[in-house]
């Protein structure tokens, strides 16, 4: 049976909508009705921040782990995700993910099975609903920007495994926040040199070479094939910090 989660509400069958809350917010308006509707949306957005802040305020130290929802359970990066969640739990860190399948599920699984706090921040999407079974603290969001705030606000660093547009979105948002000194210390580790190598080379050979970023900005992210090295990077004071 088709299921659709709209914030805390579960819809099934004929009640499943054909568009998302974020899509309706950002969609083109044909009539001036939005003048009357958007003020109410503000209250709903406010409620998402209140719920998120309330649920995570006492979380303690945490690391956000990103990666593809499309990775299979027998994939190498899935196993790496499990190992990362387990190591974080053993170091006393909660693991925060987007709550979905693939690498998100893997990191939640490692954290949960190691007795740690396994957080899933779900999002209302047409093709990705709910949170995986290994999440022991879950929140469902309607709006991407409210959810993205929680990823950064309650984490002390990011670990990104191979992923798609969503992973890139979160990665570059974090890099921007650190580069602009909006946040003062936020170590970022990428796991998978073969996967990330082309991107890092482009950043160096095109973006930095053309003066669009400083060469030193590349030091804001480290790349490794070793999950333990990534965990060590984001959980110790040896990580790169912005002065």
């Amino acid at each position: 049976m088709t299921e659709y989660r709209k914030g805390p509400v579960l819809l099934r069958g004929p009640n499943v909508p054909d568009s998302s809350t974020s899509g309706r917010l950002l969609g083109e308006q044909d009539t001036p009705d939005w003048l009357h509707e958007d003020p109410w949306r503000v209250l709903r957005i406010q409620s998402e921040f209140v719920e998120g802040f309330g649920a995570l305020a006492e979380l303690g130290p945490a690391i956000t782990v990103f990666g593809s929802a499309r990775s299979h359970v027998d994939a190498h990066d899935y196993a790496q995700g499990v190992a990362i969640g387990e190591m974080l739990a053993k170091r006393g860190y909660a693991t925060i993910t987007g709550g979905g399948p693939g690498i998100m599920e893997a990191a939640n699984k490692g954290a949960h099975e190691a007795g740690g706090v396994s957080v899933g921040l779900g999002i209302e999407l047409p093709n990705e609903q709910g949170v995986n079974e290994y999440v022991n603290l879950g929140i469902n969001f309607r709006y991407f920007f409210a959810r993205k705030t929680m990823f950064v606000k309650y984490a002390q660093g990011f670990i990104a495994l191979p992923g798609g547009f969503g992973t890139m979105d979160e990665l570059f948002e974090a890099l921007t926040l650190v580069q602009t000194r909006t946040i003062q210390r936020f170590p970022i580790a990428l796991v998978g040199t073969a996967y990330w190598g082309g991107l890092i080379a482009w950043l160096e050979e095109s973006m930095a070479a053309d003066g669009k970023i400083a060469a030193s900005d590349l030091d804001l992210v480290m790349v490794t094939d070793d999950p333990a090295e990534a965990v060590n990077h984001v959980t110790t004071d040896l990580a790169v910090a912005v002065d």
Side-chain angles (χ1 to χ4, degrees), residues 23 28 35 54 75 78 90 102 115 117 129 136-137 139 143 150 163 168 189 204 209 211 221 231 236 238:
E28 183 177 351
L35 289 170
Y78 187 98
K90 290 180 177 178
V117 179
Q129 289 294 309
N136 50 46
L137 174 55
I139 311 171
Y143 298 103
M150 305 304 157
M168 297 296 174
E204 181 177 6
V221 59
V231 170
T236 70
L238 298 177

Side-chain angles (χ1 to χ4, degrees), residues 59 93-97 104-105 107-113 115-120 132-138:
L59 181 62
Y93 284 78
T95 294
I96 302 174
T97 79
M104 293 176 282
E105 175 187 287
N108 287 135
K109 178 180 179 180
H112 177 73
E113 293 185 344
V117 179
S118 176
V119 181
N132 64 69
E133 63 181 305
Y134 301 105
V135 169
N136 50 46
L137 174 55

